[in-house]
Amino acid sequence: MEEEVVKILKSIGENPNREGLRDTPKRVKKAYDFLTSGYRADITTIVNGAIFEEPTEGMVLVRDIEMYSLCEHHLLPFYGRAHVAYLPNKKIIGISKIPRIVDVFARRLQVQERLTEQIAYAIQEVLDPQGVAVVIKAKHLCMMMRGVEKQNSELFTSCMLGAFKENMVTRSEFLDLIRTGST
């Protein structure tokens, strides 16, 4: 990858040997290793057995999870917040595992629509809850820095499974909670 970064620097008219750029290929490789670490992550290892028997039936919501990803079309960042909820089916998951699952899929080349669904289906598979809901709101630098150059546009995506898809009251409760945060 470092050799390819040198080629990119040369192709845009830069001197890869100048002081400020000498270590750039190493830094870019290190950055991309981190930003694409989701390809090497394993959900089972991330969850690490943190699933617990619990007879609770109320909605579990982790709101405002910061997420950063790379647009697969331009390799530019998009960033925002994910809201993830589930309705337990006699099992709950350690709450820190939900943001970790978001990171697994965000740290890949992505489109926001697929990212939203991957998070929802991973929670569904790991926990087998009565339902899962995921909403992501993000800003895309590919729209802000280039192309249409719209600074204030945001993309919202959602995926509703099980009770969140079938029951409008459950869906409305989730949407109200992510809007207001109050019960």
Side-chain angles (χ1 to χ4, degrees):
M1 184 185 301
E2 291 177 39
E3 292 170 5
E4 300 306 318
V5 173
V6 169
K7 289 179 186 175
I8 291 170
L9 291 171
K10 287 179 180 177
S11 73
I12 62 172
E14 271 292 354
N15 174 5
N17 294 315
R18 76 173 170 85
E19 184 179 8
L21 293 176
R22 261 185 237 129
D23 290 331
T24 296
K26 289 179 197 155
R27 288 190 295 263
V28 169
K29 181 188 181 317
K30 187 175 180 181
Y32 273 88
D33 284 347
F34 176 77
L35 295 171
T36 61
S37 62
Y39 289 115
R40 297 173 297 284
D42 174 63
I43 296 292
T44 304
T45 303
I46 298 288
V47 172
N48 195 26
I51 297 176
F52 309 100
E53 296 290 324
E54 192 62 46
T56 186
E57 294 179 359
M59 184 184 307
V60 178
L61 166 64
V62 182
R63 196 176 88 145
D64 293 322
I65 302 166
E66 300 94 355
M67 56 120 260
Y68 305 88
S69 193
L70 288 173
C71 162
E72 71 179 31
H73 301 134
H74 303 97
L75 299 184
L76 289 172
F78 66 94
Y79 63 94
R81 306 239 176 211
H83 312 288
V84 180
Y86 69 93
L87 287 172
N89 187 14
K90 300 181 182 143
K91 294 186 287 187
I92 59 172
I93 189 169
I95 59 171
S96 71
K97 304 306 179 181
I98 293 174
R100 291 178 195 276
I101 290 170
V102 169
D103 285 345
V104 165
F105 295 105
R107 290 184 183 149
R108 298 177 180 185
L109 301 182
Q110 279 290 11
V111 294
Q112 185 176 326
E113 297 87 342
R114 181 174 56 242
L115 171 61
T116 306
E117 289 191 359
Q118 286 175 329
I119 294 165
Y121 284 104
I123 299 286
Q124 181 69 37
E125 185 175 321
V126 165
L127 208 50
D128 190 31
Q130 296 176 53
V132 178
V134 177
V135 168
I136 295 177
K137 175 176 96 169
K139 290 186 171 247
H140 291 248
L141 268 66
C142 59
M143 281 185 58
M144 296 169 69
M145 295 176 64
R146 54 158 307 283
V148 296
E149 297 183 65
K150 300 301 176 206
Q151 305 308 304
N152 295 308
S153 61
E154 297 172 317
L155 178 61
F156 286 79
T157 52
S158 69
C159 182
M160 307 287 172
L161 304 175
F164 289 97
K165 185 174 188 172
E166 298 157 5
N167 185 322
M168 289 306 294
V169 172
T170 302
R171 179 190 291 238
S172 292
E173 179 185 356
F174 167 70
L175 294 173
D176 287 345
L177 285 170
I178 66 172
R179 256 187 242 112
T180 64
S182 60
T183 55

mmCIF file of all heavy atoms in Angstrom, residues 66-105:
data_model
loop_
_atom_site.group_PDB
_atom_site.id
_atom_site.type_symbol
_atom_site.label_atom_id
_atom_site.label_comp_id
_atom_site.label_asym_id
_atom_site.label_seq_id
_atom_site.Cartn_x
_atom_site.Cartn_y
_atom_site.Cartn_z
ATOM 1 N N GLU A 66 -21.496 7.428 18.176
ATOM 2 C CA GLU A 66 -20.698 8.070 17.127
ATOM 3 C C GLU A 66 -20.164 7.007 16.181
ATOM 4 O O GLU A 66 -19.706 5.963 16.622
ATOM 5 C CB GLU A 66 -19.493 8.824 17.711
ATOM 6 C CG GLU A 66 -19.835 9.924 18.675
ATOM 7 C CD GLU A 66 -19.809 9.451 20.114
ATOM 8 O OE1 GLU A 66 -19.624 8.247 20.367
ATOM 9 O OE2 GLU A 66 -19.996 10.298 20.997
ATOM 10 N N MET A 67 -20.249 7.296 14.887
ATOM 11 C CA MET A 67 -19.686 6.354 13.934
ATOM 12 C C MET A 67 -19.014 7.104 12.789
ATOM 13 O O MET A 67 -19.414 8.206 12.426
ATOM 14 C CB MET A 67 -20.725 5.359 13.432
ATOM 15 C CG MET A 67 -21.971 5.923 12.811
ATOM 16 S SD MET A 67 -22.174 5.403 11.118
ATOM 17 C CE MET A 67 -21.614 6.784 10.209
ATOM 18 N N TYR A 68 -17.959 6.491 12.303
ATOM 19 C CA TYR A 68 -17.155 7.037 11.215
ATOM 20 C C TYR A 68 -16.917 5.904 10.238
ATOM 21 O O TYR A 68 -16.569 4.796 10.643
ATOM 22 C CB TYR A 68 -15.806 7.544 11.737
ATOM 23 C CG TYR A 68 -15.957 8.549 12.848
ATOM 24 C CD1 TYR A 68 -16.041 8.138 14.176
ATOM 25 C CD2 TYR A 68 -16.040 9.907 12.566
ATOM 26 C CE1 TYR A 68 -16.194 9.064 15.194
ATOM 27 C CE2 TYR A 68 -16.187 10.837 13.580
ATOM 28 C CZ TYR A 68 -16.270 10.402 14.894
ATOM 29 O OH TYR A 68 -16.433 11.322 15.900
ATOM 30 N N SER A 69 -17.106 6.188 8.957
ATOM 31 C CA SER A 69 -16.898 5.161 7.954
ATOM 32 C C SER A 69 -16.315 5.802 6.707
ATOM 33 O O SER A 69 -16.131 7.020 6.652
ATOM 34 C CB SER A 69 -18.226 4.451 7.637
ATOM 35 O OG SER A 69 -18.007 3.269 6.899
ATOM 36 N N LEU A 70 -16.025 4.966 5.719
ATOM 37 C CA LEU A 70 -15.497 5.438 4.441
ATOM 38 C C LEU A 70 -16.470 5.079 3.331
ATOM 39 O O LEU A 70 -16.840 3.906 3.180
ATOM 40 C CB LEU A 70 -14.145 4.797 4.137
ATOM 41 C CG LEU A 70 -12.965 5.261 4.968
ATOM 42 C CD1 LEU A 70 -11.744 4.400 4.657
ATOM 43 C CD2 LEU A 70 -12.656 6.723 4.704
ATOM 44 N N CYS A 71 -16.855 6.068 2.553
ATOM 45 C CA CYS A 71 -17.700 5.863 1.382
ATOM 46 C C CYS A 71 -16.935 5.000 0.377
ATOM 47 O O CYS A 71 -15.809 5.330 0.003
ATOM 48 C CB CYS A 71 -18.037 7.225 0.785
ATOM 49 S SG CYS A 71 -18.620 7.177 -0.902
ATOM 50 N N GLU A 72 -17.537 3.913 -0.033
ATOM 51 C CA GLU A 72 -16.846 3.017 -0.955
ATOM 52 C C GLU A 72 -16.737 3.591 -2.365
ATOM 53 O O GLU A 72 -15.954 3.111 -3.161
ATOM 54 C CB GLU A 72 -17.523 1.647 -0.995
ATOM 55 C CG GLU A 72 -18.866 1.600 -1.665
ATOM 56 C CD GLU A 72 -19.461 0.208 -1.673
ATOM 57 O OE1 GLU A 72 -19.209 -0.588 -0.749
ATOM 58 O OE2 GLU A 72 -20.208 -0.081 -2.619
ATOM 59 N N HIS A 73 -17.484 4.638 -2.663
ATOM 60 C CA HIS A 73 -17.440 5.216 -3.999
ATOM 61 C C HIS A 73 -16.287 6.198 -4.186
ATOM 62 O O HIS A 73 -15.779 6.337 -5.296
ATOM 63 C CB HIS A 73 -18.762 5.914 -4.331
ATOM 64 C CG HIS A 73 -19.925 4.987 -4.278
ATOM 65 N ND1 HIS A 73 -21.115 5.301 -3.652
ATOM 66 C CD2 HIS A 73 -20.089 3.726 -4.753
ATOM 67 C CE1 HIS A 73 -21.944 4.294 -3.752
ATOM 68 N NE2 HIS A 73 -21.358 3.321 -4.418
ATOM 69 N N HIS A 74 -15.909 6.905 -3.111
ATOM 70 C CA HIS A 74 -14.872 7.932 -3.227
ATOM 71 C C HIS A 74 -13.748 7.781 -2.207
ATOM 72 O O HIS A 74 -12.799 8.554 -2.220
ATOM 73 C CB HIS A 74 -15.489 9.329 -3.052
ATOM 74 C CG HIS A 74 -16.580 9.608 -4.030
ATOM 75 N ND1 HIS A 74 -17.912 9.448 -3.714
ATOM 76 C CD2 HIS A 74 -16.535 10.012 -5.329
ATOM 77 C CE1 HIS A 74 -18.648 9.753 -4.769
ATOM 78 N NE2 HIS A 74 -17.849 10.082 -5.761
ATOM 79 N N LEU A 75 -13.876 6.822 -1.286
ATOM 80 C CA LEU A 75 -12.931 6.623 -0.185
ATOM 81 C C LEU A 75 -12.816 7.877 0.682
ATOM 82 O O LEU A 75 -11.767 8.164 1.254
ATOM 83 C CB LEU A 75 -11.547 6.193 -0.682
ATOM 84 C CG LEU A 75 -11.489 4.875 -1.445
ATOM 85 C CD1 LEU A 75 -10.047 4.516 -1.783
ATOM 86 C CD2 LEU A 75 -12.142 3.738 -0.677
ATOM 87 N N LEU A 76 -13.915 8.612 0.774
ATOM 88 C CA LEU A 76 -13.980 9.772 1.650
ATOM 89 C C LEU A 76 -14.841 9.414 2.856
ATOM 90 O O LEU A 76 -15.747 8.585 2.762
ATOM 91 C CB LEU A 76 -14.570 10.975 0.914
ATOM 92 C CG LEU A 76 -13.678 11.601 -0.151
ATOM 93 C CD1 LEU A 76 -14.444 12.662 -0.939
ATOM 94 C CD2 LEU A 76 -12.426 12.201 0.481
ATOM 95 N N PRO A 77 -14.582 10.056 3.988
ATOM 96 C CA PRO A 77 -15.333 9.714 5.204
ATOM 97 C C PRO A 77 -16.796 10.141 5.156
ATOM 98 O O PRO A 77 -17.159 11.114 4.496
ATOM 99 C CB PRO A 77 -14.615 10.512 6.302
ATOM 100 C CG PRO A 77 -13.289 10.860 5.739
ATOM 101 C CD PRO A 77 -13.482 10.978 4.261
ATOM 102 N N PHE A 78 -17.596 9.385 5.875
ATOM 103 C CA PHE A 78 -18.907 9.867 6.297
ATOM 104 C C PHE A 78 -19.005 9.559 7.777
ATOM 105 O O PHE A 78 -18.377 8.634 8.286
ATOM 106 C CB PHE A 78 -20.070 9.324 5.466
ATOM 107 C CG PHE A 78 -20.351 7.853 5.531
ATOM 108 C CD1 PHE A 78 -21.278 7.330 6.425
ATOM 109 C CD2 PHE A 78 -19.733 6.968 4.649
ATOM 110 C CE1 PHE A 78 -21.579 5.979 6.451
ATOM 111 C CE2 PHE A 78 -20.024 5.608 4.665
ATOM 112 C CZ PHE A 78 -20.942 5.108 5.575
ATOM 113 N N TYR A 79 -19.727 10.411 8.480
ATOM 114 C CA TYR A 79 -19.747 10.307 9.936
ATOM 115 C C TYR A 79 -21.107 10.747 10.460
ATOM 116 O O TYR A 79 -21.823 11.512 9.809
ATOM 117 C CB TYR A 79 -18.638 11.169 10.552
ATOM 118 C CG TYR A 79 -18.817 12.641 10.278
ATOM 119 C CD1 TYR A 79 -19.466 13.456 11.197
ATOM 120 C CD2 TYR A 79 -18.376 13.213 9.092
ATOM 121 C CE1 TYR A 79 -19.663 14.806 10.933
ATOM 122 C CE2 TYR A 79 -18.562 14.556 8.819
ATOM 123 C CZ TYR A 79 -19.215 15.343 9.747
ATOM 124 O OH TYR A 79 -19.413 16.673 9.476
ATOM 125 N N GLY A 80 -21.444 10.221 11.612
ATOM 126 C CA GLY A 80 -22.723 10.597 12.192
ATOM 127 C C GLY A 80 -23.002 9.818 13.448
ATOM 128 O O GLY A 80 -22.080 9.448 14.189
ATOM 129 N N ARG A 81 -24.285 9.542 13.646
ATOM 130 C CA ARG A 81 -24.745 8.869 14.863
ATOM 131 C C ARG A 81 -25.662 7.711 14.489
ATOM 132 O O ARG A 81 -26.516 7.839 13.611
ATOM 133 C CB ARG A 81 -25.513 9.828 15.739
ATOM 134 C CG ARG A 81 -24.739 11.086 16.053
ATOM 135 C CD ARG A 81 -24.559 11.251 17.499
ATOM 136 N NE ARG A 81 -23.726 12.424 17.752
ATOM 137 C CZ ARG A 81 -22.932 12.514 18.757
ATOM 138 N NH1 ARG A 81 -22.845 11.524 19.613
ATOM 139 N NH2 ARG A 81 -22.210 13.580 18.957
ATOM 140 N N ALA A 82 -25.460 6.617 15.195
ATOM 141 C CA ALA A 82 -26.326 5.450 15.039
ATOM 142 C C ALA A 82 -27.159 5.295 16.300
ATOM 143 O O ALA A 82 -26.680 5.548 17.417
ATOM 144 C CB ALA A 82 -25.489 4.190 14.808
ATOM 145 N N HIS A 83 -28.400 4.909 16.114
ATOM 146 C CA HIS A 83 -29.316 4.607 17.218
ATOM 147 C C HIS A 83 -29.735 3.155 17.018
ATOM 148 O O HIS A 83 -30.252 2.805 15.953
ATOM 149 C CB HIS A 83 -30.536 5.516 17.182
ATOM 150 C CG HIS A 83 -30.196 6.964 17.003
ATOM 151 N ND1 HIS A 83 -29.623 7.725 17.993
ATOM 152 C CD2 HIS A 83 -30.331 7.779 15.929
ATOM 153 C CE1 HIS A 83 -29.433 8.958 17.540
ATOM 154 N NE2 HIS A 83 -29.845 9.006 16.285
ATOM 155 N N VAL A 84 -29.486 2.325 18.029
ATOM 156 C CA VAL A 84 -29.738 0.889 17.908
ATOM 157 C C VAL A 84 -30.614 0.444 19.078
ATOM 158 O O VAL A 84 -30.271 0.697 20.242
ATOM 159 C CB VAL A 84 -28.416 0.086 17.907
ATOM 160 C CG1 VAL A 84 -28.694 -1.410 17.785
ATOM 161 C CG2 VAL A 84 -27.483 0.572 16.805
ATOM 162 N N ALA A 85 -31.722 -0.209 18.751
ATOM 163 C CA ALA A 85 -32.627 -0.712 19.790
ATOM 164 C C ALA A 85 -32.993 -2.156 19.490
ATOM 165 O O ALA A 85 -32.947 -2.594 18.346
ATOM 166 C CB ALA A 85 -33.897 0.140 19.846
ATOM 167 N N TYR A 86 -33.347 -2.861 20.566
ATOM 168 C CA TYR A 86 -33.882 -4.208 20.393
ATOM 169 C C TYR A 86 -34.904 -4.479 21.485
ATOM 170 O O TYR A 86 -34.900 -3.820 22.539
ATOM 171 C CB TYR A 86 -32.774 -5.270 20.371
ATOM 172 C CG TYR A 86 -32.066 -5.503 21.689
ATOM 173 C CD1 TYR A 86 -32.504 -6.503 22.571
ATOM 174 C CD2 TYR A 86 -30.970 -4.745 22.055
ATOM 175 C CE1 TYR A 86 -31.859 -6.720 23.775
ATOM 176 C CE2 TYR A 86 -30.318 -4.956 23.254
ATOM 177 C CZ TYR A 86 -30.770 -5.945 24.116
ATOM 178 O OH TYR A 86 -30.134 -6.149 25.328
ATOM 179 N N LEU A 87 -35.777 -5.425 21.216
ATOM 180 C CA LEU A 87 -36.738 -5.908 22.203
ATOM 181 C C LEU A 87 -36.289 -7.289 22.634
ATOM 182 O O LEU A 87 -36.284 -8.221 21.821
ATOM 183 C CB LEU A 87 -38.147 -5.975 21.603
ATOM 184 C CG LEU A 87 -38.830 -4.636 21.389
ATOM 185 C CD1 LEU A 87 -40.126 -4.830 20.609
ATOM 186 C CD2 LEU A 87 -39.109 -3.954 22.711
ATOM 187 N N PRO A 88 -35.871 -7.441 23.887
ATOM 188 C CA PRO A 88 -35.325 -8.726 24.346
ATOM 189 C C PRO A 88 -36.311 -9.877 24.198
ATOM 190 O O PRO A 88 -37.523 -9.699 24.275
ATOM 191 C CB PRO A 88 -35.029 -8.470 25.834
ATOM 192 C CG PRO A 88 -34.914 -6.995 25.957
ATOM 193 C CD PRO A 88 -35.863 -6.423 24.939
ATOM 194 N N ASN A 89 -35.738 -11.038 23.981
ATOM 195 C CA ASN A 89 -36.484 -12.287 23.937
ATOM 196 C C ASN A 89 -35.845 -13.215 24.968
ATOM 197 O O ASN A 89 -35.210 -14.199 24.631
ATOM 198 C CB ASN A 89 -36.425 -12.891 22.530
ATOM 199 C CG ASN A 89 -37.306 -14.098 22.383
ATOM 200 O OD1 ASN A 89 -38.166 -14.360 23.228
ATOM 201 N ND2 ASN A 89 -37.092 -14.853 21.323
ATOM 202 N N LYS A 90 -35.914 -12.790 26.230
ATOM 203 C CA LYS A 90 -35.343 -13.520 27.373
ATOM 204 C C LYS A 90 -33.817 -13.451 27.431
ATOM 205 O O LYS A 90 -33.192 -14.151 28.208
ATOM 206 C CB LYS A 90 -35.822 -14.966 27.404
ATOM 207 C CG LYS A 90 -37.323 -15.087 27.516
ATOM 208 C CD LYS A 90 -37.777 -16.527 27.571
ATOM 209 C CE LYS A 90 -39.286 -16.539 27.642
ATOM 210 N NZ LYS A 90 -39.892 -17.604 26.915
ATOM 211 N N LYS A 91 -33.214 -12.605 26.569
ATOM 212 C CA LYS A 91 -31.761 -12.423 26.599
ATOM 213 C C LYS A 91 -31.440 -10.951 26.344
ATOM 214 O O LYS A 91 -32.124 -10.289 25.566
ATOM 215 C CB LYS A 91 -31.070 -13.262 25.521
ATOM 216 C CG LYS A 91 -31.168 -14.754 25.700
ATOM 217 C CD LYS A 91 -30.343 -15.492 24.675
ATOM 218 C CE LYS A 91 -31.006 -15.418 23.318
ATOM 219 N NZ LYS A 91 -30.370 -16.247 22.298
ATOM 220 N N ILE A 92 -30.383 -10.492 27.014
ATOM 221 C CA ILE A 92 -29.873 -9.146 26.771
ATOM 222 C C ILE A 92 -28.379 -9.246 26.463
ATOM 223 O O ILE A 92 -27.733 -10.262 26.752
ATOM 224 C CB ILE A 92 -30.112 -8.195 27.972
ATOM 225 C CG1 ILE A 92 -29.434 -8.734 29.242
ATOM 226 C CG2 ILE A 92 -31.610 -7.969 28.191
ATOM 227 C CD1 ILE A 92 -29.447 -7.778 30.419
ATOM 228 N N ILE A 93 -27.843 -8.192 25.896
ATOM 229 C CA ILE A 93 -26.421 -8.156 25.549
ATOM 230 C C ILE A 93 -25.765 -7.027 26.346
ATOM 231 O O ILE A 93 -26.422 -6.009 26.619
ATOM 232 C CB ILE A 93 -26.242 -7.960 24.024
ATOM 233 C CG1 ILE A 93 -24.783 -8.140 23.598
ATOM 234 C CG2 ILE A 93 -26.775 -6.609 23.579
ATOM 235 C CD1 ILE A 93 -24.591 -8.211 22.079
ATOM 236 N N GLY A 94 -24.515 -7.207 26.731
ATOM 237 C CA GLY A 94 -23.783 -6.132 27.391
ATOM 238 C C GLY A 94 -23.848 -4.882 26.535
ATOM 239 O O GLY A 94 -23.564 -4.939 25.332
ATOM 240 N N ILE A 95 -24.226 -3.757 27.127
ATOM 241 C CA ILE A 95 -24.510 -2.570 26.311
ATOM 242 C C ILE A 95 -23.299 -2.052 25.548
ATOM 243 O O ILE A 95 -23.458 -1.455 24.489
ATOM 244 C CB ILE A 95 -25.162 -1.439 27.129
ATOM 245 C CG1 ILE A 95 -24.272 -1.006 28.289
ATOM 246 C CG2 ILE A 95 -26.537 -1.842 27.588
ATOM 247 C CD1 ILE A 95 -24.750 0.243 28.989
ATOM 248 N N SER A 96 -22.083 -2.290 26.050
ATOM 249 C CA SER A 96 -20.902 -1.821 25.307
ATOM 250 C C SER A 96 -20.705 -2.592 24.009
ATOM 251 O O SER A 96 -19.982 -2.139 23.112
ATOM 252 C CB SER A 96 -19.644 -1.946 26.168
ATOM 253 O OG SER A 96 -19.285 -3.311 26.331
ATOM 254 N N LYS A 97 -21.343 -3.738 23.892
ATOM 255 C CA LYS A 97 -21.184 -4.550 22.680
ATOM 256 C C LYS A 97 -21.911 -3.947 21.489
ATOM 257 O O LYS A 97 -21.511 -4.154 20.342
ATOM 258 C CB LYS A 97 -21.668 -5.987 22.919
ATOM 259 C CG LYS A 97 -20.995 -6.688 24.085
ATOM 260 C CD LYS A 97 -19.486 -6.663 23.981
ATOM 261 C CE LYS A 97 -18.844 -7.361 25.171
ATOM 262 N NZ LYS A 97 -17.412 -7.332 25.130
ATOM 263 N N ILE A 98 -22.964 -3.185 21.754
ATOM 264 C CA ILE A 98 -23.722 -2.597 20.644
ATOM 265 C C ILE A 98 -22.874 -1.573 19.883
ATOM 266 O O ILE A 98 -22.755 -1.675 18.653
ATOM 267 C CB ILE A 98 -25.071 -2.037 21.138
ATOM 268 C CG1 ILE A 98 -25.950 -3.213 21.593
ATOM 269 C CG2 ILE A 98 -25.750 -1.216 20.046
ATOM 270 C CD1 ILE A 98 -27.247 -2.827 22.248
ATOM 271 N N PRO A 99 -22.222 -0.604 20.551
ATOM 272 C CA PRO A 99 -21.336 0.295 19.790
ATOM 273 C C PRO A 99 -20.173 -0.444 19.123
ATOM 274 O O PRO A 99 -19.736 -0.055 18.035
ATOM 275 C CB PRO A 99 -20.818 1.275 20.846
ATOM 276 C CG PRO A 99 -21.807 1.216 21.944
ATOM 277 C CD PRO A 99 -22.358 -0.174 21.934
ATOM 278 N N ARG A 100 -19.706 -1.511 19.735
ATOM 279 C CA ARG A 100 -18.632 -2.292 19.114
ATOM 280 C C ARG A 100 -19.105 -2.953 17.825
ATOM 281 O O ARG A 100 -18.358 -3.026 16.842
ATOM 282 C CB ARG A 100 -18.087 -3.328 20.084
ATOM 283 C CG ARG A 100 -17.325 -2.722 21.249
ATOM 284 C CD ARG A 100 -16.850 -3.812 22.217
ATOM 285 N NE ARG A 100 -16.443 -3.273 23.485
ATOM 286 C CZ ARG A 100 -15.237 -2.772 23.746
ATOM 287 N NH1 ARG A 100 -14.325 -2.738 22.798
ATOM 288 N NH2 ARG A 100 -14.948 -2.309 24.946
ATOM 289 N N ILE A 101 -20.339 -3.424 17.826
ATOM 290 C CA ILE A 101 -20.901 -4.013 16.603
ATOM 291 C C ILE A 101 -21.051 -2.936 15.532
ATOM 292 O O ILE A 101 -20.751 -3.178 14.353
ATOM 293 C CB ILE A 101 -22.234 -4.736 16.905
ATOM 294 C CG1 ILE A 101 -21.962 -6.006 17.732
ATOM 295 C CG2 ILE A 101 -22.996 -5.065 15.617
ATOM 296 C CD1 ILE A 101 -23.203 -6.679 18.293
ATOM 297 N N VAL A 102 -21.484 -1.745 15.926
ATOM 298 C CA VAL A 102 -21.562 -0.634 14.967
ATOM 299 C C VAL A 102 -20.189 -0.402 14.341
ATOM 300 O O VAL A 102 -20.051 -0.282 13.120
ATOM 301 C CB VAL A 102 -22.084 0.649 15.649
ATOM 302 C CG1 VAL A 102 -21.919 1.867 14.733
ATOM 303 C CG2 VAL A 102 -23.541 0.484 16.077
ATOM 304 N N ASP A 103 -19.146 -0.373 15.167
ATOM 305 C CA ASP A 103 -17.785 -0.132 14.669
ATOM 306 C C ASP A 103 -17.303 -1.213 13.707
ATOM 307 O O ASP A 103 -16.601 -0.916 12.742
ATOM 308 C CB ASP A 103 -16.795 -0.007 15.825
ATOM 309 C CG ASP A 103 -16.900 1.309 16.559
ATOM 310 O OD1 ASP A 103 -17.524 2.255 16.030
ATOM 311 O OD2 ASP A 103 -16.345 1.394 17.679
ATOM 312 N N VAL A 104 -17.659 -2.471 13.974
ATOM 313 C CA VAL A 104 -17.231 -3.558 13.092
ATOM 314 C C VAL A 104 -17.646 -3.267 11.655
ATOM 315 O O VAL A 104 -16.857 -3.405 10.720
ATOM 316 C CB VAL A 104 -17.810 -4.921 13.548
ATOM 317 C CG1 VAL A 104 -17.684 -5.973 12.438
ATOM 318 C CG2 VAL A 104 -17.124 -5.402 14.812
ATOM 319 N N PHE A 105 -18.887 -2.843 11.482
ATOM 320 C CA PHE A 105 -19.393 -2.616 10.124
ATOM 321 C C PHE A 105 -19.034 -1.231 9.588
ATOM 322 O O PHE A 105 -18.885 -1.059 8.382
ATOM 323 C CB PHE A 105 -20.893 -2.889 10.077
ATOM 324 C CG PHE A 105 -21.210 -4.338 10.356
ATOM 325 C CD1 PHE A 105 -21.745 -4.722 11.571
ATOM 326 C CD2 PHE A 105 -20.917 -5.309 9.423
ATOM 327 C CE1 PHE A 105 -22.009 -6.068 11.845
ATOM 328 C CE2 PHE A 105 -21.165 -6.656 9.685
ATOM 329 C CZ PHE A 105 -21.716 -7.024 10.900
#
